[in-house]
Amino acid sequence: MRIPAGRSGQWPQMARSGRWHGCLALLAGALPALAFPAPALWWLAGVGLVPWLLLIRSAGSGRRAALDGWLGGTGYMLAVHHWLMPSLHVFILVLAALLGLLWAPWGLLVFRMLGGPVSAAAVVCAAVVVPCGWLMIELVRSWEALGGPWGLLGASQWQVAPALRVASVGGVWLVSLVVVAVNTAVALLIVASAARAVAAVGLAVCGLAVGAMAKWAPQPEESGVARIAVVQPGVFTGVDSAERRLAVSERLTGSLAGRDLDLVVWGESSVGVDLAARPDVTARIAALSRRVGADVLVNVDARQTDRSGRTGIFKSAVLVGPGGLTGDRYDKMRLVPFGEYIPARSALGWVVSMGRAAGEDRLRGTRQVTMSLPGADGGNGLRVGPLICFESAFPDMSRRLTRDGAQLLIAQSSTSSFQHGWAPAQHASLGALRAAENGRPVVHATLTGVSTVYGPQGARVGAPLGTDESGAAVFDVPLATGTTLYVRLGDWPVQVAAAVLALYCGLTGGRAFLRHKRHNRGKPVQVGEVRLREVRLQPPTG
């Protein structure tokens, strides 16, 4: 590369400046991750994006802004998924960089909206368009093949009561939209000296909107209590870990006799054999059901055959009653990329040699299932909707179960591979969002912690079982009736955001086309070697 004369000394300085700028973008993108568990600095979400927004604004060019968006997105994905390092090792860097590309267009959008002098009208436009752009990123990366909706910004507000009320109106999507709008307004307060009053009004509008939703949004009405027990055996390793885990789960379940239970829930992969093919194991669990006076919802991780005749490894929620298998079974539909299957295994199968990626792809279920517990009069009683592992991160799955009549949502999980990281607390916190969105209680039952329960408005019920505990806990879970606006209307914030962006792109493209047309009007047009000039025809006079 030729260095311009007289400026050779500036190039190393510019390169160093660019590297520092990139490092700052990575750090700025990672900052909002501190709002999630385990740090749980929830208040940071309201200002955590501001340094990143200001950095993009100072980029100097659209290309640099897109790069800052990409680097910040990479930092964000690394921070909220860093606990995957033991499983994926260095490959997590590749995945984070690929997913970070989703933020490159957002960086360009922020630069266009916040760069240069910002008028009052531009403040209003930025406070609306920038959050909509962020929401489109969250929507795209929520696709299962891209890792699913783990670490959606709105999920950081799982313990904030007003935010949970917002979730009941528009799901976690609306919470993310509000959080990014607040960050954008704060950034504009700093940079838009001529329009600070408008930015302040924008913050006030966000506050009033949240307050209005918290006060007037439909609330679930409590309709009784269910006594649910959660069995958490703890961490087991070694060749006989499955047998020892089963033995401890049986012992803990047996200790619940006489507690007047409605259901006992075991965690994900709590049974390592096909119960249909092992009647001896089924009989042991059925004996436990008779002893405690309640059905036992276990989770089978084994080679099985489903209703359609497919044979392979399934993860299945299976209900066992006093008489054995009840026939209620749900096969996990959304699998964890690399953990339970490898996308494009023929090309990416080498990942298995680098970490704990799946040696064999598990098979998917084909439909969601609601299960009915036996009622007091021998008929159908409480209806439960099972989810397995990170399916609790998908808002649409719990919404579907609620619309199908589930009165209690149950997430069976195991994060034993990430016991000492942020994953167990992050996973458990998702139950609060799902409960608030649907107006239904959520039981989050794990093998190794954190096991916890949330009421129909997202508030925690009782004390959780932490990652250092092995035991059984009984929760008096409040049930509820009624339908939240999110259950009725679905993902409407995403649809609104897409419409806003389409309108913005249409108007921006239209203005650019008109400017280009005006700029070229009257210019000479070259055809071959002949230069022609546009001639305006005037109407005849006289």
Side-chain angles (χ1 to χ4, degrees), residues 336-539:
V336 180
F338 299 99
E340 293 171 337
Y341 79 102
I342 296 182
R345 180 178 285 273
S346 59
L348 299 177
W350 54 270
V351 177
V352 175
S353 63
M354 298 184 59
R356 302 173 187 169
E360 178 182 347
D361 292 349
R362 283 161 173 76
L363 300 185
R364 301 172 185 272
T366 56
R367 63 186 181 90
Q368 290 190 260
V369 174
T370 57
M371 304 176 179
S372 294
L373 304 182
D377 56 355
N380 290 335
L382 183 68
R383 295 185 68 182
V384 302
L387 299 164
I388 301 175
C389 190
F390 93 140
E391 289 182 333
S392 65
F394 291 85
D396 65 302
M397 296 195 74
S398 54
R399 177 173 175 261
R400 174 62 183 269
L401 290 171
T402 302
R403 292 175 67 89
D404 287 345
Q407 299 166 278
L408 173 66
L409 303 173
I410 298 177
Q412 295 174 300
S413 174
S414 171
T415 51
S416 55
S417 298
F418 318 105
Q419 193 72 356
H420 304 293
W422 295 0
Q426 281 188 28
H427 200 177
S429 70
L430 295 174
L433 271 296
R434 303 294 86 84
E437 287 170 344
N438 296 280
R440 297 293 182 268
V442 172
V443 173
H444 183 81
T446 75
L447 292 181
T448 60
V450 176
S451 295
T452 190
V453 174
Y454 300 96
Q457 296 189 48
R460 180 168 269 162
V461 175
L465 292 171
T467 54
D468 58 345
E469 296 181 68
S470 172
V474 177
F475 298 88
D476 290 320
V477 183
L479 304 176
T481 59
T483 305
T484 64
L485 289 175
Y486 176 69
V487 171
R488 293 181 201 169
L489 303 176
D491 301 331
W492 63 266
V494 174
Q495 298 164 3
V496 170
V500 168
L501 284 177
L503 179 62
Y504 170 76
C505 292
L507 292 175
T508 303
R511 285 198 298 267
F513 174 76
L514 290 176
R515 282 197 302 269
H516 178 74
K517 190 175 181 179
R518 285 196 298 268
H519 179 72
N520 291 330
R521 184 177 296 165
K523 282 191 172 184
V525 181
Q526 183 170 334
V527 181
E529 297 298 325
V530 183
R531 295 175 60 86
L532 304 176
R533 188 173 299 275
E534 289 182 353
V535 178
R536 294 178 179 270
L537 298 178
Q538 301 293 332

Side-chain angles (χ1 to χ4, degrees), residues 79-355:
V80 296
H81 293 92
H82 74 276
W83 44 268
L84 283 171
M85 190 70 73
S87 294
L88 298 179
H89 296 290
V90 71
F91 194 61
I92 186 63
L93 300 175
V94 178
L95 290 176
L98 290 174
L99 291 173
L101 287 171
L102 294 173
W103 276 270
W106 185 75
L108 183 59
L109 177 67
V110 171
F111 181 71
R112 289 184 178 276
M113 301 298 297
L114 271 64
V118 183
S119 64
V123 166
V124 175
C125 187
V128 173
V129 175
V130 170
C132 290
W134 180 281
L135 204 59
M136 288 298 99
I137 298 170
E138 293 200 333
L139 175 66
V140 172
R141 77 177 186 85
S142 293
W143 184 33
E144 177 195 348
L146 294 181
W150 191 283
L152 300 184
L153 190 58
S156 67
Q157 305 302 290
W158 65 278
Q159 56 186 329
V160 182
L164 293 174
R165 300 295 298 130
V166 172
S168 74
V169 175
V172 67
W173 312 110
L174 186 57
V175 183
S176 288
L177 200 67
V178 172
V179 169
V180 182
V182 169
N183 276 273
T184 306
V186 171
L188 289 166
L189 274 175
I190 296 173
V191 303
S193 57
R196 282 179 180 157
V198 178
V201 169
L203 280 173
V205 168
C206 287
L208 290 173
V210 171
M213 284 183 276
K215 183 175 179 60
W216 287 300
Q219 300 186 31
E221 299 179 4
E222 293 194 9
S223 60
V225 174
R227 286 180 65 79
I228 309 297
V230 173
V231 172
Q232 180 176 297
V235 178
F236 292 89
T237 58
V239 293
D240 61 343
S241 58
E243 292 80 4
R244 290 187 290 130
R245 181 186 300 117
L246 178 60
V248 171
S249 297
E250 290 179 278
R251 176 176 58 81
L252 292 173
T253 302
S255 69
L256 297 168
R259 301 292 296 272
D260 190 26
L261 301 174
D262 293 295
L263 180 67
V264 179
V265 185
W266 292 8
E268 178 189 10
S269 304
S270 49
V271 178
V273 297
D274 179 8
L275 291 178
R278 289 290 302 273
D280 56 325
V281 178
T282 303
R284 287 158 54 185
I285 300 174
L288 288 172
S289 175
R290 292 191 295 272
R291 183 175 177 182
V292 301
D295 287 0
V296 183
L297 184 66
V298 303
N299 190 276
V300 176
D301 186 0
R303 193 170 301 279
Q304 309 171 69
T305 301
D306 70 355
R307 294 179 179 86
S308 63
R310 294 181 301 160
T311 298
I313 300 178
F314 289 91
K315 280 195 176 181
S316 308
V318 178
L319 194 63
V320 182
L325 297 175
T326 66
D328 289 315
R329 166 179 160 177
Y330 165 65
D331 298 324
K332 186 177 182 181
M333 296 173 62
R334 294 182 181 171
L335 304 177
V336 180
F338 299 99
E340 293 171 337
Y341 79 102
I342 296 182
R345 180 178 285 273
S346 59
L348 299 177
W350 54 270
V351 177
V352 175
S353 63
M354 298 184 59

